[in-house]
Amino acid sequence: MGIFDFITGRKKPTPGELAKERLKVALVQDRMKVNPELLELIKSDLLTAISRRLDVDEQHVEIRLAREDHWDKLKAEVPIKRQKISFEWDPPAHTTAVTGLRGKVTVEVEKDDESEP
Amino acid sequence: MESRVITITSGKGGVGKTTTTANIGTALALQGKRVAVVDSDIGLRNLDAILGLENRIVYDLVDVVEGQCRLRQALIKDKRLPDLYLLPAAQTRDKNAVNSVQMEQLCQQLRAEFDFVLIDSPAGIEQGFRNAIVGADEIIIVANPEMASVRDADRIIGLVEAAGKPEPRLILNRLRAEMARRGDMMDVADVLEVLGVDLLGIVPEDEMIIVATNKGEPIVFEKRSRAGRAFLHAAQRIMGEEVPLDEVTEVPSLLERLRRLVGFGPALAEKRVRS
Ligand SMILES: Nc1ncnc2c1ncn2[C@@H]1O[C@H](COP(=O)(O)OP(=O)(O)OP(=O)(O)O)[C@@H](O)[C@H]1O
Ligand SMILES: [Mg+2]
């Protein structure tokens, strides 16, 4: 961007620039769609990470790419299996200052029976 | 010399695959290589017309594959160049008349006879496209500098890589340098940035191609044509020669334009005489 564009605010893009930007956005989505293997990999990485802490329903996990508010977003829906979730809070060694959080944490989830499948 | 099978494909239709196949094939033959150009667009025969060979066809690709004739009987010798041959597509057959195994065998047969086998792929990403790339060592993608074409090219690049082929090279066809300079359309750099492949050549938009097609004479024979020279350069790059990529930056000077007008064209004129 030249100094003049800088003063006057953002310059209006040329049709060529516009085409390139639109193309880039379209390609991000195309590439994810034609590459389901990558999404599968991300999904399994996510599940490995999450299931260390939560008991999730792996059959109903959904992961997809969406474009919202000018951002490409990876959206994941990860249903939790059990109504009662308990997990170990285990801060790494270098955070010894936060002693208050060490120990076992249990979260009680109130279940609404009708909303369950 | 090891024989090389090269497929020219694009995804989107009408971007210049057949024109590229005919011209790069002719240019390679002009350099003394033994070349077969294969029209794999079954049902939509085109390559024969660009080469001006449409009224010499007896047998076609499907006849060879089905064993109705021998390969040599179906190959049509070019009118101008002794080392250029065409294997035409069937006109009256279904796109699915040939399968991948048959196509791969056909490529093997052609390898035995030629230095270069260029396969003109049909548009799309279906069976015809898969047949066209199955026996190829290298892939050339043709794209125009516009959104739909580049987007399809990207898709094709993904499919080519998934098929275990080496990274394709790009022919950017129908570039209007003046419009790109004004910012009215995408530039070479834009397309390359988006696709992330190597460039094999830049072919300018050129009205002379339409005239050449009407005459059934590939544009590489037309020494005043910038598109013709671009195809010749692409062929030289395929043969491993280092040709500077000056197709875009080059704006012909008045002197040069005059020179070409009088017929003192550079490289091409001499090559044509030599062959
Ligand atoms: N550089 C160029 N300048 C001007 N016209 C061109 C250029 N390249 C190709 N054309 C024209 O564009 C049209 C389509 O070209 P061509 O038949 O080679 O495309 P194709 O990709 O093989 O199409 P199809 O997908 O139908 O097989 C033709 O009329 C051709 O003359
Ligand atoms: Mg064609």
Side-chain angles (χ1 to χ4, degrees):
Chain A
M1 204 193 272
I3 184 77
F4 191 67
D5 302 329
F6 191 71
I7 296 165
T8 56
R10 210 171 130 49
K11 195 187 86 175
K12 208 168 147 232
T14 65
E17 286 166 344
L18 212 58
K20 180 173 142 196
E21 288 316 312
R22 288 175 58 215
L23 187 60
K24 278 183 172 171
V25 171
L27 289 191
V28 170
Q29 296 182 326
D30 291 353
R31 283 172 187 170
M32 290 301 260
K33 268 185 218 127
V34 298
N35 198 349
E37 300 88 49
L38 177 61
L39 278 183
E40 275 307 310
L41 278 178
I42 295 175
K43 183 165 147 183
S44 92
D45 289 349
L46 265 180
L47 284 182
T48 316
I50 296 174
S51 51
R52 282 213 315 262
R53 305 288 181 211
L54 291 175
D55 194 5
V56 299
D57 179 1
E58 303 202 359
Q59 304 300 316
H60 296 98
V61 173
E62 228 187 76
I63 179 164
R64 70 198 144 81
L65 203 80
R67 187 163 174 87
E68 285 172 12
D69 320 318
H70 304 286
W71 286 97
D72 292 314
K73 295 182 179 174
L74 186 69
K75 297 203 130 193
E77 267 175 52
V78 185
I80 297 162
K81 224 177 198 168
R82 290 196 305 202
Q83 43 178 313
K84 187 189 265 181
I85 306 154
S86 55
F87 56 93
E88 304 281 327
W89 184 274
D90 185 16
H94 63 270
T95 56
T96 42
V98 277
T99 45
L101 283 175
R102 198 182 286 278
K104 188 168 178 167
V105 180
T106 306
V107 179
E108 298 275 345
V109 180
E110 283 299 318
K111 197 173 101 176
D112 181 358
D113 273 329
E114 287 133 84
S115 70
E116 277 295 303
Chain B
M1 180 186 139
E2 272 287 292
S3 170
R4 288 161 70 184
V5 179
I6 307 177
T7 296
I8 293 88
T9 188
S10 69
K12 191 173 185 301
V15 298
K17 293 177 291 298
T18 304
T19 306
T20 300
T21 309
N23 281 288
I24 291 185
T26 304
L28 288 169
L30 269 170
Q31 318 261 329
K33 301 292 174 196
R34 289 181 56 77
V35 182
V37 289
V38 178
D39 191 345
S40 78
D41 200 347
I42 294 167
L44 295 167
R45 184 188 271 176
N46 267 164
L47 188 54
D48 54 337
I50 294 195
L51 291 165
L53 300 173
E54 68 279 1
N55 48 26
R56 301 187 179 196
I57 298 175
V58 183
Y59 296 109
D60 58 52
L61 187 151
V62 177
D63 294 324
V64 176
V65 161
E66 290 181 344
Q68 312 282 346
C69 70
R70 281 176 292 115
L71 176 60
R72 294 214 177 172
Q73 291 176 288
L75 286 169
I76 298 160
K77 196 172 184 300
D78 186 62
K79 306 191 236 197
R80 313 160 201 90
L81 300 173
D83 289 330
L84 179 63
Y85 288 81
L86 164 73
L87 181 59
Q91 182 68 310
T92 54
R93 295 297 294 271
D94 182 60
K95 290 200 275 211
N96 300 315
V98 178
N99 65 40
S100 294
V101 178
Q102 292 169 319
M103 208 50 203
E104 205 166 0
Q105 285 166 349
L106 179 69
C107 289
Q108 288 304 335
Q109 267 184 285
L110 286 161
R111 269 179 208 279
E113 312 277 334
F114 296 97
D115 299 324
F116 286 95
V117 178
L118 302 192
I119 301 175
D120 180 19
S121 157
I125 55 173
E126 292 83 31
Q127 187 62 39
F129 156 73
R130 276 178 276 142
N131 282 349
I133 66 164
V134 68
D137 307 312
E138 299 162 50
I139 312 280
I140 295 174
I141 307 242
V142 183
N144 299 158
E146 44 116 355
M147 214 181 135
S149 170
V150 178
R151 191 176 183 185
D152 285 8
D154 186 75
R155 184 83 200 276
I156 290 286
I157 291 167
L159 293 171
V160 164
E161 278 167 5
K165 304 288 175 188
E167 188 176 274
R169 288 192 282 178
L170 179 74
I171 292 276
L172 191 60
N173 187 27
R174 310 196 77 155
L175 183 82
R176 295 155 175 253
E178 198 41 55
M179 281 188 79
R181 244 193 304 274
R182 284 202 303 265
D184 282 341
M185 69 191 285
M186 279 187 290
D187 199 354
V188 184
D190 295 337
V191 177
L192 288 182
E193 179 192 328
V194 171
L195 288 181
V197 288
D198 281 346
L199 194 58
L200 182 64
I202 304 158
V203 182
E205 172 78 24
D206 189 346
E207 282 186 3
M208 289 172 101
I209 286 193
I210 298 160
V211 180
T213 305
N214 287 340
K215 291 196 288 189
E217 215 173 84
I219 193 73
V220 286
F221 285 118
E222 181 51 76
K223 52 181 178 285
R224 288 169 303 156
S225 161
R226 299 182 63 211
R229 285 196 293 148
F231 281 125
L232 188 81
H233 288 172
Q236 288 168 330
R237 288 183 197 111
I238 287 175
M239 296 195 314
E241 288 172 35
E242 296 226 353
V243 189
L245 261 173
D246 58 359
E247 284 98 331
V248 249
T249 45
E250 166 198 21
V251 177
S253 66
L254 184 63
L255 182 69
E256 197 189 344
R257 265 186 274 176
L258 274 173
R259 226 176 19 203
R260 278 187 222 156
L261 215 61
V262 225
F264 287 112
L268 240 174
E270 300 145 34
K271 289 210 168 88
R272 193 179 177 182
V273 173
R274 244 193 284 140
S275 65

